[in-house]
Structure formats: structure tokens, C-alpha cells
Amino acid sequence: MLSRITQRQLEYFVASGEAGSLHGASERLHVSSPSISAAISHIESELGVQLFVRHHAQGSRSRRLAAR
């Protein structure tokens, strides 16, 4: 299962969590926001869980932070 998740996808996931938004991660990594979103969606699909709660035009929050 995890063999289908690349290191780059994990890097995008970690950067998004640290930045608190896909936009912040995209600026930090110099990658488009849709690319980061696609990578995170792929991880979520592979694992069968939602990792981020997405809020249109408001960024995203990790599931752990959103639960607080």
C-alpha cells in the first residue's frame, strides 16, 4: 500500500501541514497548489482516510488540528 506513495508526495504533505495551507506549501516548495492538492488527494486515496479538512478560499487544516 505505501509503496504507491512517493517521497515527493510525502514532502508535499508535510510542507502543507507545516505551512497550514496548500498555498503556503506551494510558495515554500515552488510548486503549484494544484500539484500539492493532487499529491495529498493521492495519499488520502491510497490510505482511505481524509488527512486534511479543506475550506475553499480559507486553506486547509490537518485532521488532528481540525478536531480541536
Side-chain angles (χ1 to χ4, degrees), residues 13-67:
F13 168 73
V14 170
S16 297
E18 290 174 348
S21 71
L22 299 180
H23 179 73
S26 72
E27 287 184 340
R28 178 187 293 177
L29 297 172
H30 306 287
V31 176
S32 71
S33 293
S35 295
I36 292 178
S37 180
I40 292 171
S41 293
H42 176 80
I43 294 171
E44 290 174 330
S45 175
E46 286 294 317
L47 297 178
V49 296
Q50 183 180 9
L51 299 172
F52 285 93
V53 176
R54 291 165 178 84
H55 302 285
H56 181 68
Q58 296 178 6
S60 61
R61 301 190 74 159
S62 71
R63 295 281 296 170
R64 187 182 68 142
L65 293 176

